[in-house]
Amino acid sequence: MVAAVRNRPILIAALLVIGAILASFLASSGPIQWMDNGMFLADASQGHYFSQTLGPLDHPLYLFVSTALFESFGPLVLSFMNSLLLIPLAWAIYRLAKGVGATTQQALIAVAAAVLCHCVFWVSTKAEVYLLHTVLVIFAYMIEFKDKPRLGVMPALFLIGVLTGLAAAIHQLTFIVLFPLYVHMLWQHKARILVTLPGFVVGFAVAIPGILNEMHNGLSLIDIGHRYLIGIPDRTTEQSWQGSLFRFDDMWHEKNSVMLLLLSLIGPQVVGLLLFPKRPALRVLWAAAIMNFIFAVSYNVTDRFTFFLPGAVLLSIIGVIQLYDLLPRKGAGLATASPLAAPVAILAVFAVYASGAIQLPVHKETLPFRDDIHYFMVPYLTDRSAEEFVHSYEKSAPEGALIIADWTPNGALRSAQASGLLKGRTFELCEEVQDIDTYLKGPGAYLARTSYCDMIGERFALETLPVGYELRVK
């Protein structure tokens, strides 16, 4: 009886973790998704396991894994990929939390807090690269701060190098969030840290076909690395992703996307961010989280919150440990319930918004069937707006027709075709489409929306449909 009472908090924490992961499966957006998410699903259907380039938007390891999943199990299982990845992520968070001093209960609560964190949960319901990347990053930290050492120093360092290479083959954010870990390892292990280099090469091997192809096309290794890191095709070109980095000057103008990122601090994460930890191991995690936060909050893109997953996970661990240290024993229940702070607060605000009592800012360019507040702010509720959009085109655009769209609806159209819908239709981006007149004489040409496609609307007469327009000769 005494043992059962003693284990009750652990059981509650474990059930919270299980419930959080199951909620992600239930909230999945399915195999038809908007924008980049839809394009990732469509790319996986092409059967190309290896990227042919290594640019800033290439994700060689993600392409390999997603293509393998699509080929083996189809689009539905692939759409659940990130929900499935929550399982190894949960294990890595648990082991890392134990390694930096958490109790079993605290480690489980940290897992629940991380999974229910806005940015982590949102990405888990979409086809996106950041969750697989976060799994690899957290595994690297877990191996260094292991609570039960099973590997010797050299094998552990080599494995961290492999994980670093794998993570880098997904996203350049790797070099920011793992920098504090490498500083710590250099301090701890001195020259032995060099064994991570061959490990990195092994992990990064999936990107080698793209590198070789780039070299065959005349780029040097320096130019390839330069473009991969900051998006410059060659060192003489001015256009690059540098223009979006560390744009603190533009944060107020883009305050809506900044606020979306700050939703990931609701709960123990804000405690982890604001209170500098006393334990040395937690300080390493905190440094990584702070670096990730500064990068993400100042990165001038709409979905900057998706770049904050590793930091949010680390702050979940730090915050939960700090909460239990701060609160008296009688207040431990608040710490146990802290993972629910984000979903409860966000769902409450959404309920008030849905009732019409308050107005919240939305994107000026709307999409059919999609409520931006629901889509971006409330990942805990299923959003199948892209699927509804596609079904409308199944009815209005006959086989053989051309559908012209900007990037966001184009992702929905292409992922739908990868799932077996919209057979025989041709899709083109507004800025790339040609030979529209050929389709006008046949099955027809359609425009998903006029937003970002003014050049099309000016050339043709538009006949309004329930969704989008049919193009006519003026």
Side-chain angles (χ1 to χ4, degrees):
M1 185 69 177
V2 174
V5 172
R6 189 184 300 118
N7 291 329
R8 186 182 300 167
I10 296 175
L11 178 61
I12 292 171
L15 290 174
L16 195 55
V17 170
I18 295 169
I21 294 174
L22 288 176
S24 172
F25 282 91
L26 295 174
S28 171
S29 290
I32 302 172
Q33 300 183 21
W34 299 107
M35 205 174 172
D36 292 357
N37 313 127
M39 291 307 299
F40 285 133
L41 290 162
D43 289 344
S45 72
Q46 300 303 304
H48 303 309
Y49 284 88
F50 297 99
S51 175
Q52 295 304 299
T53 56
L54 188 63
L57 300 180
D58 290 312
H59 313 287
L61 180 61
Y62 181 85
L63 176 64
F64 183 89
V65 173
S66 60
T67 300
L69 267 180
F70 189 96
E71 292 287 314
S72 301
F73 303 105
L76 182 61
V77 171
L78 177 57
S79 71
F80 286 124
M81 172 179 163
N82 282 340
S83 294
L84 289 165
L85 283 172
L86 290 176
I87 298 170
L89 178 63
W91 185 80
I93 294 170
Y94 176 81
R95 292 257 60 99
L96 173 57
K98 293 276 285 182
V100 295
T103 65
T104 298
Q105 181 189 2
Q106 290 170 2
L108 289 169
I109 293 298
V111 173
V115 172
L116 292 173
C117 177
H118 173 269
C119 64
V120 176
F121 199 93
W122 192 94
V123 171
S124 77
T125 65
K126 306 290 186 291
E128 190 53 273
V129 303
Y130 303 105
L131 216 145
L132 178 58
H133 176 261
T134 300
V135 169
L136 296 168
V137 167
I138 300 303
F139 263 88
Y141 275 97
M142 180 199 78
I143 290 170
E144 175 61 19
F145 294 105
K146 49 193 174 296
D147 59 325
K148 295 179 180 178
R150 292 184 175 89
L151 295 173
V153 172
M154 299 300 279
L157 290 173
F158 179 81
L159 185 53
I160 290 172
V162 172
L163 290 165
T164 304
L166 290 169
I170 297 177
H171 207 279
Q172 302 87 332
L173 184 62
T174 302
F175 302 109
I176 293 175
V177 294
L178 287 183
F179 179 75
L181 176 65
Y182 274 77
V183 172
H184 170 78
M185 291 193 304
L186 180 61
W187 180 264
Q188 291 288 317
H189 307 298
K190 306 299 188 291
R192 288 181 293 181
I193 195 177
L194 292 174
V195 79
T196 60
L197 293 177
F200 179 90
V201 173
V202 171
F204 202 63
V206 71
I208 289 177
I211 295 173
L212 294 176
N213 192 54
E214 297 271 39
M215 292 176 68
H216 179 74
N217 291 330
L219 287 178
S220 69
L221 280 174
I222 294 176
D223 288 333
I224 295 169
H226 210 228
R227 185 179 68 170
Y228 164 69
L229 289 173
I230 52 180
I232 303 177
D234 59 71
R235 284 171 290 169
T236 62
T237 304
E238 292 182 2
Q239 185 178 3
S240 75
W241 294 107
Q242 288 183 98
S244 298
L245 295 173
F246 304 114
R247 291 299 303 272
F248 299 100
D249 59 312
D250 214 25
M251 284 174 58
W252 178 251
H253 181 264
E254 299 296 332
K255 54 186 174 294
N256 292 345
S257 61
V258 172
M259 287 304 299
L260 277 176
L261 185 146
L262 296 182
L263 293 178
S264 296
L265 296 178
I266 298 175
Q269 293 83 6
V270 71
V271 177
L273 180 73
L274 297 179
L275 296 183
F276 185 67
K278 297 178 181 179
R279 305 179 195 182
L282 290 181
R283 290 178 182 177
V284 178
L285 306 191
W286 186 83
I290 288 294
M291 290 178 66
N292 189 184
F293 177 76
I294 292 171
F295 170 83
V297 78
S298 63
Y299 190 33
N300 195 30
V301 294
T302 302
D303 60 346
R304 66 187 73 196
F305 69 92
T306 61
F307 292 84
F308 188 48
L309 266 69
V313 168
L314 296 175
L315 289 178
S316 299
I317 296 171
I318 301 167
V320 166
I321 293 174
Q322 302 253 65
L323 268 179
Y324 276 94
D325 288 344
L326 286 170
L327 294 172
R329 181 168 296 183
K330 291 183 179 179
L334 292 175
T336 302
S338 63
L340 298 174
V344 168
I346 290 171
L347 287 168
V349 172
F350 181 71
V352 176
Y353 159 80
S355 72
I358 60 172
Q359 294 295 317
L360 294 173
V362 296
H363 200 288
K364 63 180 180 180
E365 307 292 350
T366 59
L367 278 164
F369 302 106
R370 193 175 91 177
D371 179 332
D372 280 349
I373 301 302
H374 175 188
Y375 181 77
F376 283 111
M377 195 182 86
V378 196
Y380 313 104
L381 301 177
T382 308
D383 179 274
R384 292 294 180 98
S385 55
E387 186 176 315
E388 294 179 71
F389 168 75
V390 164
H391 285 314
S392 72
Y393 266 102
E394 280 269 297
K395 298 174 183 176
S396 60
E399 285 197 40
L402 169 68
I403 304 176
I404 306 166
D406 60 278
W407 183 255
T408 299
N410 189 58
L413 296 169
R414 291 188 180 277
S415 59
Q417 199 166 71
S419 295
L421 301 176
L422 293 174
K423 292 179 179 178
R425 281 76 162 185
T426 300
F427 311 124
E428 294 286 353
L429 290 169
C430 300
E431 62 271 20
E432 297 177 0
V433 64
Q434 298 177 358
D435 301 327
I436 298 176
D437 292 333
T438 303
Y439 289 91
L440 294 180
K441 298 171 185 176
Y446 299 81
L447 181 65
R449 60 174 179 170
T450 54
S451 304
Y452 310 108
C453 296
D454 294 339
M455 71 294 286
I456 305 297
E458 292 169 358
R459 289 173 54 196
F460 300 93
L462 303 180
E463 181 180 330
T464 303
L465 299 174
V467 175
Y469 307 88
E470 184 174 0
L471 301 185
R472 301 286 190 185
V473 177
K474 274 191 175 181

